[in-house]
Amino acid sequence: MSALADDHYPPTTRGRTAYLLFRFITLFFATLMLIAVSVAAGRLNQPSWLDPTLAPGITSFLYSLFDIISVVLGETRSFYLTRIFLDGLLAVGFPIAAGFLGRLAVPLMDGVARQRGDRDGEAVEAMGAVILTCMLIQMIIYGGVSFRAVRGWVSRRAAEGKGGEVEDKTGKV
């Protein structure tokens, strides 16, 4: 069996519920982040926030959505190497995007708006905090999924290298 042929993922597979839960969480936070940045850009006049948030937000949303659909409807999931690289890239990309967003948002979130009693300033602070929190949570989840994929790929390669048969996730050879 090839190291890439781990796509069969039936409902009886150990860890499937946790995998789907993490994908649903990333889908939720990607959606929340996209809504928050849309509000910040349109209602709060912060269009520069779109640049560092749309690319990772849309990528996270679509990747999680397609992975959930393939696991639930097709009983398959992404290959190890896809999870290693795409989840890993998102885990690295979110802190980079958060750094750019922080550079734009932190000067607006310094509390001056609260001192003046500016309601839009408070909303900008809240939206900035929501977006940055969503990025942080997704970064942690994608890093964990990528790390698990690396561990699974390495253990599968080691088992194949010993000449033994590799069991799939259902316990069948």
Side-chain angles (χ1 to χ4, degrees):
M1 183 181 269
S2 167
L4 294 178
D6 69 321
D7 59 344
H8 188 62
Y9 208 54
T12 57
T13 305
R14 185 176 47 95
R16 183 176 190 252
T17 304
Y19 183 79
L20 281 173
L21 177 66
F22 286 127
R23 288 296 185 209
F24 274 112
I25 290 171
T26 56
L27 183 68
F28 171 77
F29 281 108
T31 304
L32 181 62
M33 185 178 76
L34 291 172
I35 291 170
V37 76
S38 298
V39 168
R43 177 81 171 94
L44 302 174
N45 198 24
Q46 299 300 324
S48 61
W49 289 14
L50 291 172
D51 296 335
T53 55
L54 282 183
I58 291 171
T59 304
S60 174
F61 177 85
L62 291 176
Y63 180 54
S64 293
L65 180 66
F66 290 140
D67 208 27
I68 289 168
I69 290 170
S70 69
V71 168
V72 172
L73 297 180
E75 295 184 359
T76 62
R77 70 173 175 177
S78 305
F79 295 125
Y80 282 121
L81 294 178
T82 304
R83 291 194 312 272
I84 289 169
F85 292 117
L86 192 50
D87 287 315
L89 285 173
L90 284 166
V92 170
F94 272 114
I96 293 170
F100 283 114
L101 179 66
R103 186 161 190 262
L104 297 170
V106 169
L108 301 172
M109 297 168 55
D110 63 0
V112 173
R114 223 179 281 142
Q115 293 171 355
R116 291 189 320 228
D118 184 4
R119 290 190 58 173
D120 280 348
E122 291 176 358
V124 168
E125 290 178 1
M127 286 298 123
V130 166
I131 295 167
L132 290 171
T133 302
C134 288
M135 286 182 165
L136 176 67
I137 290 169
Q138 290 181 83
M139 176 197 69
I140 292 168
I141 291 173
Y142 283 121
V145 171
S146 182
F147 180 73
R148 286 270 308 175
V150 168
R151 286 184 51 210
W153 184 68
V154 167
S155 66
R156 177 164 288 216
R157 294 296 290 175
E160 286 178 349
K162 292 179 183 175
E165 292 186 6
V166 179
E167 292 183 2
D168 67 6
K169 290 172 210 55
T170 60
K172 299 176 185 171
V173 177

Coordinates of all heavy atoms in Angstrom, one line a residue, residues 64-150:
S64 N -11.5 23.6 4.5 CA -12.2 22.9 5.5 C -13.6 22.4 5.0 O -14.0 21.3 5.3 CB -12.4 23.8 6.7 OG -11.2 24.1 7.4
L65 N -14.2 23.3 4.2 CA -15.5 22.9 3.7 C -15.4 21.7 2.8 O -16.1 20.7 2.9 CB -16.1 24.1 2.9 CG -17.5 23.8 2.3 CD1 -18.5 23.6 3.3 CD2 -17.9 25.0 1.4
F66 N -14.4 21.7 1.8 CA -14.3 20.6 0.9 C -13.8 19.3 1.7 O -14.2 18.2 1.3 CB -13.3 20.9 -0.2 CG -13.8 21.9 -1.2 CD1 -13.0 22.9 -1.7 CD2 -15.1 21.9 -1.6 CE1 -13.5 23.8 -2.6 CE2 -15.6 22.8 -2.5 CZ -14.8 23.8 -3.0
D67 N -13.0 19.5 2.7 CA -12.6 18.3 3.5 C -13.7 17.7 4.2 O -13.9 16.5 4.3 CB -11.4 18.7 4.4 CG -10.5 17.5 4.7 OD1 -10.4 16.6 3.8 OD2 -9.9 17.5 5.7
I68 N -14.6 18.5 4.8 CA -15.8 18.0 5.5 C -16.7 17.3 4.6 O -17.2 16.2 4.9 CB -16.5 19.2 6.2 CG1 -15.7 19.7 7.4 CG2 -17.9 18.8 6.7 CD1 -16.2 21.0 8.0
I69 N -16.9 17.9 3.4 CA -17.8 17.3 2.4 C -17.3 15.9 2.0 O -18.0 14.9 1.9 CB -18.0 18.2 1.2 CG1 -18.9 19.4 1.6 CG2 -18.7 17.4 0.1 CD1 -19.0 20.5 0.6
S70 N -15.9 15.9 1.7 CA -15.4 14.6 1.3 C -15.4 13.5 2.4 O -15.6 12.3 2.1 CB -14.0 14.8 0.7 OG -13.1 15.1 1.8
V71 N -15.2 13.9 3.6 CA -15.2 12.9 4.7 C -16.7 12.5 5.0 O -16.9 11.2 5.1 CB -14.6 13.5 6.0 CG1 -14.9 12.7 7.2 CG2 -13.1 13.8 5.9
V72 N -17.6 13.4 5.0 CA -19.0 13.0 5.3 C -19.7 12.3 4.2 O -20.3 11.2 4.4 CB -19.8 14.2 5.7 CG1 -21.3 13.9 5.9 CG2 -19.3 14.8 7.0
L73 N -19.6 12.8 3.0 CA -20.3 12.2 1.8 C -19.5 11.1 1.1 O -20.0 10.1 0.7 CB -20.6 13.3 0.8 CG -21.6 14.3 1.3 CD1 -21.9 15.3 0.2 CD2 -22.9 13.7 1.8
G74 N -18.2 11.3 1.0 CA -17.4 10.3 0.3 C -16.6 9.4 1.1 O -15.9 8.5 0.6
E75 N -16.6 9.5 2.4 CA -15.8 8.7 3.3 C -14.3 8.7 2.9 O -13.6 7.7 3.0 CB -16.4 7.3 3.4 CG -17.7 7.3 4.1 CD -18.3 5.9 4.3 OE1 -17.6 4.9 3.9 OE2 -19.4 5.8 4.8
T76 N -13.8 9.8 2.5 CA -12.4 10.0 2.1 C -11.9 11.3 2.8 O -12.7 12.1 3.1 CB -12.1 10.0 0.6 OG1 -12.8 11.1 0.1 CG2 -12.6 8.8 -0.1
R77 N -10.6 11.4 2.9 CA -10.1 12.7 3.4 C -8.8 12.9 2.6 O -8.3 12.1 1.8 CB -9.8 12.7 4.9 CG -8.7 11.8 5.3 CD -8.4 12.0 6.8 NE -7.4 11.1 7.3 CZ -6.9 11.1 8.5 NH1 -7.4 11.9 9.3 NH2 -6.0 10.2 8.8
S78 N -8.2 14.1 2.8 CA -7.0 14.5 2.1 C -5.9 13.5 2.4 O -5.8 12.9 3.5 CB -6.5 15.8 2.6 OG -7.5 16.8 2.5
F79 N -5.0 13.3 1.5 CA -3.8 12.5 1.7 C -2.9 13.0 2.7 O -3.0 14.2 3.1 CB -3.0 12.3 0.4 CG -3.8 11.6 -0.7 CD1 -3.9 12.2 -2.0 CD2 -4.3 10.4 -0.5 CE1 -4.6 11.6 -3.0 CE2 -5.0 9.7 -1.5 CZ -5.1 10.3 -2.8
Y80 N -2.0 12.2 3.3 CA -1.1 12.7 4.3 C -0.3 13.9 3.8 O -0.2 14.9 4.5 CB -0.1 11.6 4.6 CG -0.6 10.5 5.6 CD1 -0.6 9.2 5.2 CD2 -1.0 10.8 6.8 CE1 -1.0 8.2 6.0 CE2 -1.4 9.8 7.7 CZ -1.4 8.5 7.3 OH -1.8 7.5 8.1
L81 N 0.3 13.8 2.6 CA 1.1 14.9 2.2 C 0.3 16.2 1.9 O 0.8 17.3 2.2 CB 1.9 14.5 0.9 CG 2.9 13.4 1.1 CD1 3.6 13.0 -0.2 CD2 3.9 13.8 2.1
T82 N -0.9 16.1 1.5 CA -1.8 17.3 1.4 C -2.0 17.9 2.7 O -1.9 19.1 2.9 CB -3.1 16.9 0.7 OG1 -2.9 16.2 -0.5 CG2 -4.0 18.1 0.5
R83 N -2.3 17.1 3.7 CA -2.5 17.6 5.1 C -1.3 18.2 5.6 O -1.3 19.2 6.3 CB -3.1 16.5 6.0 CG -4.5 16.1 5.6 CD -5.2 15.3 6.7 NE -4.4 14.2 7.3 CZ -4.4 13.0 6.8 NH1 -5.1 12.7 5.7 NH2 -3.7 12.1 7.4
I84 N -0.1 17.5 5.4 CA 1.1 18.0 5.9 C 1.4 19.4 5.3 O 1.7 20.4 6.0 CB 2.3 17.1 5.6 CG1 2.2 15.8 6.4 CG2 3.6 17.8 5.8 CD1 3.1 14.7 5.9
F85 N 1.3 19.5 4.0 CA 1.7 20.8 3.3 C 0.7 21.9 3.4 O 1.0 23.0 3.8 CB 2.2 20.5 1.9 CG 3.4 19.8 1.8 CD1 3.4 18.5 1.2 CD2 4.6 20.2 2.3 CE1 4.6 17.8 1.1 CE2 5.8 19.5 2.3 CZ 5.8 18.3 1.7
L86 N -0.6 21.6 3.1 CA -1.6 22.6 3.1 C -1.9 23.1 4.5 O -2.0 24.3 4.8 CB -2.9 22.2 2.4 CG -3.9 23.3 2.0 CD1 -3.2 24.5 1.4 CD2 -5.0 22.8 1.2
D87 N -2.1 22.1 5.4 CA -2.4 22.5 6.8 C -1.2 23.2 7.4 O -1.3 24.2 8.1 CB -2.7 21.3 7.7 CG -4.1 20.8 7.4 OD1 -5.0 21.6 7.3 OD2 -4.3 19.6 7.3
G88 N 0.0 22.7 7.0 CA 1.3 23.4 7.5 C 1.4 24.8 7.0 O 1.8 25.7 7.7
L89 N 1.1 25.0 5.7 CA 1.2 26.3 5.1 C 0.2 27.3 5.8 O 0.5 28.4 6.0 CB 0.9 26.3 3.6 CG 2.1 25.8 2.8 CD1 1.6 25.6 1.3 CD2 3.3 26.7 2.9
L90 N -1.0 26.8 6.0 CA -2.0 27.6 6.7 C -1.5 27.9 8.2 O -1.7 29.0 8.7 CB -3.4 27.0 6.7 CG -4.1 27.1 5.4 CD1 -5.3 26.1 5.4 CD2 -4.6 28.5 5.1
A91 N -0.9 26.9 8.8 CA -0.4 27.2 10.2 C 0.7 28.2 10.2 O 0.8 29.0 11.1 CB 0.1 25.9 10.8
V92 N 1.5 28.3 9.1 CA 2.5 29.3 9.0 C 2.0 30.6 8.5 O 2.4 31.7 8.9 CB 3.7 28.8 8.1 CG1 4.7 29.9 7.8 CG2 4.4 27.6 8.8
G93 N 1.0 30.5 7.6 CA 0.5 31.7 7.0 C -0.4 32.6 7.9 O -0.4 33.8 7.8
F94 N -1.1 32.0 8.8 CA -1.9 32.7 9.7 C -1.1 33.7 10.6 O -1.5 34.8 10.8 CB -2.8 31.9 10.6 CG -4.1 31.6 9.9 CD1 -4.5 30.3 9.5 CD2 -5.1 32.6 9.7 CE1 -5.7 30.0 8.8 CE2 -6.3 32.3 9.0 CZ -6.6 31.1 8.6
P95 N 0.0 33.3 11.2 CA 0.8 34.2 12.0 C 1.4 35.3 11.2 O 1.5 36.5 11.6 CB 1.8 33.4 12.7 CG 1.8 32.1 12.2 CD 0.5 31.9 11.4
I96 N 1.7 35.0 9.9 CA 2.3 36.1 9.0 C 1.2 37.1 8.7 O 1.4 38.3 8.8 CB 2.8 35.4 7.7 CG1 4.1 34.6 8.1 CG2 3.1 36.5 6.7 CD1 4.6 33.8 6.9
A97 N 0.0 36.6 8.4 CA -1.2 37.5 8.1 C -1.5 38.3 9.4 O -1.9 39.4 9.3 CB -2.3 36.7 7.6
A98 N -1.5 37.6 10.5 CA -1.8 38.3 11.8 C -0.8 39.4 12.1 O -1.1 40.4 12.6 CB -1.8 37.3 13.0
G99 N 0.5 39.2 11.7 CA 1.5 40.2 11.9 C 1.2 41.4 11.0 O 1.3 42.6 11.5
F100 N 0.8 41.2 9.8 CA 0.4 42.3 8.9 C -0.8 43.0 9.4 O -0.9 44.2 9.5 CB 0.2 41.9 7.5 CG 1.5 41.6 6.7 CD1 1.8 40.3 6.3 CD2 2.4 42.6 6.4 CE1 3.0 40.1 5.7 CE2 3.6 42.4 5.8 CZ 3.9 41.1 5.4
L101 N -1.8 42.2 9.8 CA -3.0 42.8 10.4 C -2.7 43.6 11.7 O -3.3 44.7 11.9 CB -4.1 41.8 10.6 CG -5.4 42.3 11.2 CD1 -6.1 43.2 10.2 CD2 -6.3 41.2 11.6
G102 N -1.9 43.0 12.5 CA -1.6 43.7 13.8 C -0.9 45.0 13.5 O -1.1 46.0 14.2
R103 N 0.0 45.0 12.5 CA 0.6 46.3 12.2 C -0.4 47.4 11.8 O -0.2 48.6 12.0 CB 1.6 46.1 11.1 CG 2.5 47.3 10.8 CD 3.7 46.9 10.0 NE 4.6 48.0 9.9 CZ 4.7 48.8 8.9 NH1 3.9 48.6 7.8 NH2 5.5 49.9 8.9
L104 N -1.5 47.0 11.1 CA -2.5 47.9 10.7 C -3.5 48.2 11.8 O -4.0 49.3 11.9 CB -3.3 47.3 9.5 CG -2.5 47.1 8.2 CD1 -3.3 46.3 7.2 CD2 -2.1 48.4 7.6
A105 N -3.8 47.2 12.6 CA -4.9 47.3 13.6 C -4.4 47.8 15.0 O -5.2 48.5 15.6 CB -5.6 45.9 13.8
V106 N -3.3 47.4 15.4 CA -2.9 47.7 16.8 C -2.8 49.2 17.1 O -3.3 49.7 18.1 CB -1.5 47.0 17.2 CG1 -1.0 47.6 18.5 CG2 -1.8 45.5 17.3
P107 N -2.3 50.1 16.1 CA -2.4 51.5 16.4 C -3.8 52.0 16.6 O -4.0 53.0 17.3 CB -1.8 52.1 15.1 CG -0.9 51.1 14.6 CD -1.6 49.8 14.9
L108 N -4.8 51.4 16.0 CA -6.2 51.8 16.2 C -6.8 51.2 17.4 O -7.9 51.6 17.8 CB -7.0 51.3 14.9 CG -6.5 51.9 13.6 CD1 -7.3 51.2 12.5 CD2 -6.7 53.4 13.6
M109 N -6.1 50.2 18.0 CA -6.7 49.5 19.2 C -5.9 49.9 20.5 O -5.9 49.1 21.4 CB -6.5 48.0 18.9 CG -7.3 47.4 17.8 SD -6.9 45.8 17.3 CE -7.1 44.9 18.8
D110 N -5.4 51.0 20.5 CA -4.6 51.4 21.7 C -5.3 52.0 22.8 O -4.8 52.4 23.8 CB -3.4 52.3 21.3 CG -4.0 53.7 20.7 OD1 -5.2 53.8 20.7 OD2 -3.1 54.5 20.4
G111 N -6.6 52.0 22.7 CA -7.4 52.6 23.8 C -7.8 54.0 23.7 O -8.5 54.6 24.5
V112 N -7.2 54.7 22.8 CA -7.5 56.2 22.6 C -8.9 56.4 22.3 O -9.6 57.3 22.8 CB -6.6 56.8 21.5 CG1 -6.9 58.2 21.2 CG2 -5.1 56.7 21.9
A113 N -9.5 55.5 21.5 CA -10.9 55.6 21.1 C -11.8 55.5 22.3 O -12.8 56.2 22.4 CB -11.3 54.6 20.1
R114 N -11.5 54.6 23.2 CA -12.3 54.5 24.4 C -12.2 55.7 25.3 O -13.2 56.1 25.9 CB -11.8 53.3 25.2 CG -12.9 52.4 25.7 CD -12.5 51.2 26.4 NE -12.1 50.2 25.5 CZ -11.1 49.3 25.6 NH1 -10.4 49.4 26.7 NH2 -10.9 48.4 24.7
Q115 N -11.0 56.3 25.3 CA -10.9 57.6 26.1 C -11.7 58.7 25.6 O -12.2 59.5 26.3 CB -9.4 58.0 26.2 CG -8.6 57.0 27.0 CD -7.1 57.3 26.8 OE1 -6.7 58.2 26.1 NE2 -6.3 56.5 27.6
R116 N -11.8 58.8 24.3 CA -12.6 59.8 23.6 C -14.1 59.5 23.6 O -14.9 60.3 23.3 CB -12.2 60.0 22.2 CG -10.8 60.6 22.0 CD -10.6 60.9 20.6 NE -11.1 59.9 19.6 CZ -10.5 59.4 18.6 NH1 -9.3 59.7 18.4 NH2 -11.1 58.5 17.9
G117 N -14.5 58.2 23.9 CA -15.9 57.8 23.9 C -16.4 57.6 22.5 O -17.5 57.6 22.2
D118 N -15.5 57.3 21.6 CA -15.8 57.0 20.2 C -16.3 55.6 20.0 O -15.6 54.6 20.2 CB -14.5 57.2 19.3 CG -14.8 57.1 17.8 OD1 -15.9 57.0 17.4 OD2 -13.8 57.2 17.1
R119 N -17.6 55.5 19.6 CA -18.2 54.1 19.5 C -17.6 53.4 18.3 O -17.4 52.1 18.4 CB -19.7 54.3 19.3 CG -20.3 54.7 20.6 CD -21.8 54.6 20.5 NE -22.1 53.2 20.2 CZ -23.3 52.7 20.2 NH1 -24.4 53.5 20.4 NH2 -23.6 51.5 19.9
D120 N -17.3 54.0 17.2 CA -16.7 53.3 16.1 C -15.3 52.9 16.5 O -14.8 51.8 16.0 CB -16.6 54.2 14.9 CG -17.9 54.3 14.1 OD1 -18.8 53.5 14.4 OD2 -18.0 55.2 13.2
G121 N -14.6 53.6 17.3 CA -13.3 53.2 17.8 C -13.3 51.9 18.6 O -12.5 51.0 18.5
E122 N -14.3 51.8 19.4 CA -14.5 50.6 20.2 C -14.9 49.4 19.3 O -14.4 48.3 19.5 CB -15.6 50.8 21.3 CG -15.2 51.8 22.4 CD -16.3 52.0 23.4 OE1 -17.5 51.5 23.2 OE2 -16.1 52.8 24.3
A123 N -15.7 49.7 18.3 CA -16.0 48.6 17.4 C -14.8 48.2 16.6 O -14.7 47.0 16.3 CB -17.1 49.1 16.4
V124 N -13.9 49.1 16.2 CA -12.7 48.7 15.5 C -11.8 47.9 16.4 O -11.3 46.8 16.0 CB -11.9 50.0 15.0 CG1 -10.5 49.6 14.6 CG2 -12.7 50.7 13.9
E125 N -11.8 48.2 17.7 CA -11.0 47.4 18.6 C -11.6 46.0 18.7 O -10.8 45.0 18.7 CB -11.0 48.1 20.0 CG -10.2 49.3 20.1 CD -10.2 50.0 21.4 OE1 -10.9 49.4 22.3 OE2 -9.6 51.0 21.6
A126 N -12.9 45.9 18.8 CA -13.5 44.6 19.0 C -13.3 43.8 17.7 O -13.0 42.6 17.8 CB -15.0 44.8 19.2
M127 N -13.5 44.4 16.5 CA -13.3 43.6 15.3 C -11.9 43.1 15.2 O -11.6 42.0 14.7 CB -13.7 44.4 14.1 CG -15.2 44.6 13.9 SD -16.1 43.1 13.7 CE -17.2 43.1 15.0
G128 N -10.9 44.0 15.5 CA -9.5 43.6 15.4 C -9.2 42.4 16.3 O -8.5 41.5 16.0
A129 N -9.8 42.5 17.5 CA -9.5 41.4 18.5 C -10.2 40.1 18.0 O -9.6 39.0 18.1 CB -10.1 41.8 19.9
V130 N -11.4 40.2 17.5 CA -12.1 39.0 17.0 C -11.3 38.4 15.8 O -11.0 37.1 15.8 CB -13.5 39.3 16.5 CG1 -14.1 38.2 15.7 CG2 -14.4 39.6 17.7
I131 N -10.8 39.2 14.9 CA -10.1 38.7 13.7 C -8.8 38.0 14.2 O -8.4 36.9 13.7 CB -9.9 39.8 12.7 CG1 -11.2 40.2 12.1 CG2 -8.9 39.3 11.6 CD1 -11.1 41.5 11.3
L132 N -8.0 38.7 15.0 CA -6.8 38.1 15.5 C -7.0 36.9 16.3 O -6.2 35.9 16.2 CB -6.0 39.2 16.3 CG -5.4 40.4 15.5 CD1 -4.9 41.5 16.4 CD2 -4.4 39.9 14.5
T133 N -8.0 36.8 17.1 CA -8.3 35.6 17.8 C -8.7 34.4 16.9 O -8.2 33.3 17.1 CB -9.5 35.8 18.8 OG1 -9.1 36.9 19.7 CG2 -9.8 34.6 19.6
C134 N -9.5 34.7 15.9 CA -9.8 33.7 14.9 C -8.5 33.1 14.2 O -8.4 31.9 14.0 CB -10.8 34.2 13.9 SG -12.4 34.5 14.5
M135 N -7.6 34.0 13.9 CA -6.4 33.6 13.2 C -5.6 32.7 14.1 O -5.0 31.7 13.7 CB -5.6 34.9 12.8 CG -6.1 35.6 11.6 SD -5.0 37.0 11.2 CE -5.6 37.4 9.6
L136 N -5.5 33.1 15.4 CA -4.7 32.3 16.3 C -5.2 30.9 16.5 O -4.5 30.0 16.5 CB -4.6 33.1 17.7 CG -3.9 32.3 18.8 CD1 -2.4 32.2 18.5 CD2 -4.1 33.0 20.1
I137 N -6.5 30.8 16.7 CA -7.2 29.5 16.9 C -7.0 28.6 15.7 O -6.6 27.5 15.8 CB -8.7 29.7 17.2 CG1 -8.8 30.3 18.6 CG2 -9.4 28.4 17.1 CD1 -10.2 30.8 18.9
Q138 N -7.2 29.2 14.5 CA -7.0 28.4 13.3 C -5.5 28.0 13.1 O -5.2 26.9 12.7 CB -7.4 29.2 12.0 CG -8.9 29.4 12.0 CD -9.4 30.1 10.8 OE1 -9.5 29.5 9.7 NE2 -9.6 31.4 10.9
M139 N -4.6 28.9 13.4 CA -3.2 28.5 13.4 C -2.9 27.3 14.2 O -2.2 26.4 13.8 CB -2.3 29.7 13.8 CG -0.8 29.4 13.9 SD 0.1 30.6 14.8 CE -0.5 30.2 16.5
I140 N -3.4 27.3 15.4 CA -3.1 26.2 16.4 C -3.7 24.9 15.8 O -3.1 23.8 15.8 CB -3.7 26.5 17.8 CG1 -2.9 27.6 18.4 CG2 -3.7 25.3 18.7 CD1 -3.5 28.2 19.6
I141 N -4.9 24.9 15.3 CA -5.6 23.7 14.8 C -4.9 23.2 13.6 O -4.6 22.0 13.5 CB -7.1 24.0 14.5 CG1 -7.8 24.2 15.8 CG2 -7.7 22.8 13.7 CD1 -9.3 24.6 15.7
Y142 N -4.6 24.1 12.6 CA -3.9 23.6 11.4 C -2.5 23.1 11.7 O -2.0 22.1 11.1 CB -3.8 24.8 10.4 CG -5.1 25.0 9.6 CD1 -5.7 26.2 9.7 CD2 -5.7 23.9 8.9 CE1 -6.9 26.4 9.0 CE2 -6.8 24.1 8.2 CZ -7.5 25.4 8.3 OH -8.6 25.5 7.6
G143 N -1.8 23.7 12.7 CA -0.5 23.2 13.1 C -0.6 21.8 13.7 O 0.2 20.9 13.4
G144 N -1.7 21.5 14.5 CA -1.9 20.2 15.1 C -2.3 19.2 14.1 O -1.8 18.1 14.1
V145 N -3.1 19.5 13.1 CA -3.5 18.6 12.1 C -2.3 18.2 11.2 O -2.0 17.1 10.8 CB -4.6 19.1 11.2 CG1 -4.9 18.3 10.0 CG2 -5.9 19.3 12.0
S146 N -1.5 19.2 10.9 CA -0.3 19.0 10.1 C 0.7 18.1 10.9 O 1.3 17.2 10.3 CB 0.4 20.3 9.7 OG 1.5 20.1 8.9
F147 N 0.9 18.3 12.1 CA 1.8 17.5 13.0 C 1.3 16.1 13.0 O 2.1 15.1 12.9 CB 1.9 18.1 14.4 CG 2.8 17.3 15.3 CD1 4.2 17.4 15.1 CD2 2.3 16.6 16.3 CE1 5.0 16.6 15.9 CE2 3.1 15.8 17.1 CZ 4.5 15.9 16.9
R148 N 0.0 15.9 13.2 CA -0.6 14.5 13.2 C -0.4 13.8 11.9 O -0.1 12.6 11.9 CB -2.1 14.5 13.6 CG -2.4 14.8 15.0 CD -2.6 13.7 15.8 NE -3.4 12.6 15.3 CZ -3.6 11.5 15.9 NH1 -2.9 11.2 17.0 NH2 -4.3 10.5 15.4
A149 N -0.5 14.6 10.8 CA -0.3 14.0 9.5 C 1.2 13.6 9.3 O 1.5 12.5 8.7 CB -0.7 15.0 8.4
V150 N 2.1 14.4 9.8 CA 3.5 14.0 9.7 C 3.8 12.7 10.5 O 4.4 11.8 10.0 CB 4.4 15.2 10.3 CG1 5.8 14.7 10.5 CG2 4.4 16.3 9.3

